[in-house]
Amino acid sequence: MATFKEFRNSVKPNWCPGCGDFSIQAAIQRAAANVGLEPENLAVVSGIGCSGRISGYINAYGLHGIHGRALPIAQGVKMANRELTVIASGGDGDGFAIGMGHTVHAIRRNINITYIVMDNQIYGLTKGQTSPRSAEGFKTKSTPDGSIESTLSPLEIALSAGATFVAQSFSSDLKQLTTLIEEGMKHEGFSLINVFSPCVTFNKINTYDWFKENIVNLESIPEYDPSNRIQAMTKLMETGGMLTGLIYQDKSRKSYEDMVVGFHQEGISNQDIQISEADFSKLVAEFK
Amino acid sequence: MISQLSWKIGGQQGEGVESTDRIFSTALNRLGYYLYGYRHFSSRIKGGHTNNKIRISTKPIRAISDDLDILVAFDQESIDLNAHELRPGGVVVADAKFNPTLPEGINAKLFPVPITAIADELGTSLMKNMVASGASWALLGLPLEVFNKAVEEEFGRKGAAVVEKNVEAVRRGSEFVLELAGGPLEEFKLQPADGEQKLFMIGNDAMALGALAAGCRFMPAYPITPASEVMEYLIKKLPKFGGTVIQTEDEIAAITMAIGANFAGARSMTASAGPGLSLMMEAIGLAGMTETPVVIIDTQRGGPSTGLPTKQEQSDINAMIYGTHGEIPKIVLAPSSIEECFYDMIEAFNLAEKYQCPVIVITDLQLSLGKQSCDELDYNKIVIDRGNLVRNAPELEPNQLFKRYEFTEDGISPRILPGEKYGIHHVTGVEHDETGRPSESAVNRKKMMDKRLGKMDNIKVTNPIHVDAPHEEPDLLIVSMSSTGGTVDEARVRLEEQGLTTNHITVRLLYPFPTEQFAPYAEKAKKIIVLENNATAQLASQIKLNVGHADKIESVLKYDGNPFLPSIVYNACKELV
Ligand SMILES: Cc1ncc(C[n+]2csc(CCOP(=O)(O)OP(=O)(O)O)c2C)c(N)n1
Ligand code: SF4
């Protein structure tokens, strides 16, 4: 069985020292080993942004696509070969701005992949513009007078879109993060894990200390029941979305793949695609 | 007896025009006639004039006719809009309900048949289509048993009572009209057909079937006219073959899902029309850059923007060739017949995997939606070639990486699929080295660009052009693409009768342009006439750019939403010589 070291490669990340994304990379590697994966059976698909580089830093099959489209690419990978474990990952701009349409529909579709958002409330790669996750009043290069748009609450949207797995974590809490990613990988359906991942270079407001002060860890609420959707929504609203832990899980809903009529357990890419003469004749005869 | 005839049914959209056409042509197909259909419809579901025209012939046909022999009209508007097409002595069968009249100056016979009244008497006005098609059938003097057989097939599922009612509607319609006309019309008596039932399908069906035969097992797509039939066919069939269709949230999701699926080893495609293709452009660049195979169908319709969404046009040629930023390897194929719609999908999937690049299959609305007779499709021609796809790769040396983008003589590198133990690699739209890792090295950049684009130099496509060149040095070389070839051939018969010599090329490979194959024919022609359904002569520009001869190239352009007719081509050619 592979250890987390086998999910490492020799590429040195080009992230700034101190960037939250490093821990997320480590957590993915640990979680993959903990659930018993082999590197060749993992595919990591990422978007564009500082965070998007992550697919290149993990020893697994990786696809670094285009801005905002990690989710549809990852869903395509999974549909082609459901025997693979598929992780999609990218920034908050990637998933909640340009890719928001895909995010909502990936949630509704419930294909068995894990989506890890590296949420730094800002655009890192393009050097510090506002993101849908930026707080109102947040001053950036593109909002010199402070952001005047309301802050997006992606987890509330996820719940209302019918999400079957919603979690949130903080890149400093490697233990919690690793466990949640493992849970997400094991979940039979679409799992969304939003991770607060401070951008030390462009976001001087939402810093490590700021998160530590504002986060409400669900471990501190023993009576919390993650199968209760109404409670999940209420808690998210109460805490302004600052909850970490497993916020909601619905184990009863089947994944998309399991609901498609005639879909085999064997991945499409491992099947014989040559059509038989008998099948072909039957199809052709329908046009007579 | 005549060898061919044109029939048209007109009415309000949603009134049974489609089903009248379907039942009438299904029955004709049973007798072995060759059929070529044209649908005139608008972008709404109910209401608005719509008409379907069918050309019926004892020989293969690939064009709409200039004129019309029989018009069936559900309303006066259908007569007013279409009567001018009737040839002298033509026939109008119209619903007596609206007291039909012929416009002034139209030399035709009018047979008012109580179409709605008969249908109502039998219980539902839905049966108008049966009364109307039955009346048409009777006028042609065709055997009623054959028609009833088709009715039985259409309604068999709904039980004997329904079949009986419909057969009754047919009988009443035919009896009424025969009484008016005094028996079948002698001048419309068709020569008997060969009795061999042909395949009868639209281009979209043929492409969908072709994709299935090619091993396509996953199709993400977003609905659009005139492409939706492709996904609608495949969602019915793919589950039986272990595959599926996903209706995505948009075309960007459709193309990127297809790219992801191809990366993971499934044959996957998407299909759309101009607006959807516009949304896909960035992702097509990703496929080109990452050398990921993917097949995309573009069913052209009237642009720009929403344009004329239900009308004929061929104005996406430039967008398909040049679309996407940067420079990528890409293949653009344009089938020009139903058979080719089928076979080209197999070739498209093979080309995509062989050259590891996007392949766009471009049709036009008339080819995609016009229902036509089609020759038998040959199972033995379904050959799947997955190119340089490595299975069970050998173990790598310690620290050795799989070179997904290895520099090779022909630029084609080994491709390996996720799940393979010794093939782990990264794919990125960022410029990368042989192992797929990002690289900004100027030396590597140039080599990689040359590798990717160099694949285009070796592309081998069977029949990149179709040539019909009976003359060594013709007065005219006429060039067409997609659905317009049949129209050209009919015009050519008339031109040749007038003493003009003509050759005809249908361009099948639009990109990379088959200069070598095209040039000798261009060289020898006195004049080249390029026929296309757009305003800016996009195909002609490709010929000028790749072959030359700008001085002798003339364009015949039509961008009013309607396809070319043989007479238009004939007149335009006459004028230009
Ligand atoms: C279609 C397109 N538009 C714009 C860009 C430029 N761009 C690259 S990354 C990015 C946003 C980065 O922010 P985020 O997704 O939050 O990731 P981060 O860099 O913060 O990790 C933008 C706008 C692009 N690559 N593609
Ligand atoms: S700019 Fe911000 S997000 Fe990007 S690598 Fe640096 S710290 Fe991380």
Side-chain angles (χ1 to χ4, degrees), chain B residues 3 33 135 138 226 255 334 366 472 479:
Chain B
S3 64
Y33 287 104
I255 178 76
Q366 176 53 20
E472 188 66 23
V479 185

Side-chain angles (χ1 to χ4, degrees), chain A residues 61 64 109 275 286-287, chain B residues 200 237 249 379 420 427-428:
Chain A
Y61 282 89
H64 180 225
R109 204 168 280 131
I275 192 170
E286 290 174 10
F287 290 104
Chain B
F200 186 45
K237 302 299 173 197
E249 54 274 23
Y379 176 76
E420 279 272 351
V427 163
T428 173

Side-chain angles (χ1 to χ4, degrees), chain A residues 21 48-51 67 91-94 98 120 122-126, chain B residues 282:
Chain A
D21 295 352
I48 301 296
C50 295
S51 46
H67 192 30
D92 46 314
D94 204 75
I98 189 165
N120 55 14
I122 195 148
Y123 282 15
L125 190 71
T126 44
Chain B
E282 186 193 12

Side-chain angles (χ1 to χ4, degrees), chain A residues 9-11 40 55-56 58 60-62 64 69 72 76 80 102 105 109 256 261 264 269 273 275 277 286-288, chain B residues 197 199-200 217 237 239 242 246 249 252 256-257 260-261 264 376 379 417 419-420 423-429 437:
Chain A
N9 64 18
S10 59
V11 186
E40 67 269 20
S55 58
I58 291 171
Y61 282 89
H64 180 225
R69 321 298 169 196
H102 304 309
H105 294 285
R109 204 168 280 131
Y256 187 93
V261 179
H264 303 228
S269 53
I273 54 172
I275 192 170
E277 188 157 11
E286 290 174 10
F287 290 104
K288 282 201 173 162
Chain B
Q197 225 165 301
L199 299 181
F200 186 45
R217 292 293 176 269
K237 302 299 173 197
I246 290 186
E249 54 274 23
I252 300 179
T256 47
M257 249 186 225
E376 265 318 316
Y379 176 76
L417 306 179
E420 279 272 351
I424 288 181
H425 63 273
H426 294 142
V427 163
T428 173
R437 290 184 171 176

Side-chain angles (χ1 to χ4, degrees), chain B residues 118-141:
Chain B
I118 293 176
D120 282 345
E121 261 173 53
L122 290 169
T124 161
S125 63
L126 282 177
M127 276 190 294
K128 273 164 69 177
N129 50 9
M130 289 298 139
V131 184
S133 46
S136 307
W137 191 262
L139 280 177
L140 298 181

Side-chain angles (χ1 to χ4, degrees), chain A residues 75-81 111 256-257 260 263 268, chain B residues 218 244 246:
Chain A
Q75 291 170 86
V77 171
K78 185 71 180 181
M79 290 305 288
N81 187 357
I111 291 176
Y256 187 93
E257 306 91 288
V260 173
F263 216 55
I268 287 177
Chain B
F218 178 53
T244 195
I246 290 186

